[in-house]
Amino acid sequence: MFPSLPMSIDVAQSQVNDIQERNKMGHHGQRGKHGKRGDRGKKMNRLLQQLELTPEQSQQIESIQEESKSTAQELKDQLQTQDRGMRSLLSSDATDEQIRQEYQQAKAIRQQLSDNRFETMLQIREILTPEQRARAAELIESHRQRRFGERG
């Protein structure tokens, strides 16, 4: 009638593995042409190059990006440790509540990563002139149209 405990752990571990794989695949759950997370910084740099930044703007943005990258790496390291802890709990006799707490902590770290990206974007936006912001919006929209236009 009810699945055995080892089966429940296997199912839970499978669900955690699915979540981790989706997280590795990027925001839209895809890899390949549009999905690698490492490309995010390269795409941003290509966009910024098209905005005719002053040397001062370039230096300020580079500083912001370095700080953001450092913060993101610390959070990614925390998340990796948290994920290992959760996998360990899933294969132990930990209670559901203990596992939920680990999951909530990992979820909070993922939110911090997202917040870090958002705050970085706002800091960079503040450095741009209104004309550069408008041009950036045009470039982003053009990229979206090409990207989603290919899918129909």
Side-chain angles (χ1 to χ4, degrees):
M1 185 178 284
F2 294 103
S4 65
L5 184 58
M7 179 60 172
S8 297
I9 290 173
D10 289 343
V11 170
Q13 182 64 53
S14 174
Q15 291 172 345
V16 168
N17 290 344
D18 289 347
I19 290 167
Q20 289 171 339
E21 188 59 31
R22 282 195 303 271
N23 287 337
K24 288 179 191 173
M25 295 169 95
H27 179 69
H28 295 289
Q30 302 170 350
R31 276 204 186 251
K33 189 172 182 181
H34 302 295
K36 288 190 181 177
R37 287 182 179 211
D39 290 345
R40 188 177 286 148
K42 291 177 186 175
K43 289 176 185 176
M44 173 62 86
N45 287 336
R46 280 195 304 263
L47 173 96
L48 291 171
Q49 287 173 355
Q50 296 178 56
L51 298 180
E52 300 176 10
L53 300 172
T54 66
E56 183 178 313
Q57 285 176 311
S58 294
Q59 192 279 325
Q60 289 174 318
I61 290 171
E62 186 176 321
S63 176
I64 290 167
Q65 289 175 323
E66 285 302 315
E67 184 179 331
S68 174
K69 186 177 179 180
S70 174
T71 300
Q73 189 57 54
E74 290 174 19
L75 290 168
K76 287 175 186 178
D77 292 346
Q78 288 177 25
L79 184 58
Q80 188 175 31
T81 300
Q82 196 71 37
D83 283 345
R84 276 196 302 269
M86 189 160 62
R87 281 194 303 274
S88 176
L89 284 178
L90 285 168
S91 61
S92 73
D93 359 343
T95 66
D96 288 352
E97 187 55 35
Q98 290 171 315
I99 295 169
R100 280 189 185 95
Q101 287 176 355
E102 285 290 312
Y103 171 77
Q104 290 301 323
Q105 290 173 356
K107 189 173 158 183
I109 295 169
R110 284 186 188 88
Q111 182 63 50
Q112 289 176 331
L113 275 164
S114 180
D115 291 348
N116 181 57
R117 284 190 299 271
F118 179 74
E119 292 300 326
T120 300
M121 178 193 67
L122 289 179
Q123 289 175 346
I124 291 171
R125 178 182 177 271
E126 193 63 30
I127 291 169
L128 301 177
T129 66
E131 294 80 15
Q132 289 169 325
R133 289 180 194 173
R135 177 71 177 135
E138 289 171 8
L139 291 168
I140 291 168
E141 183 58 30
S142 172
H143 173 74
R144 277 194 189 129
Q145 287 177 351
R146 282 192 313 272
R147 181 175 167 199
F148 292 113
E150 293 172 0
R151 295 184 204 167

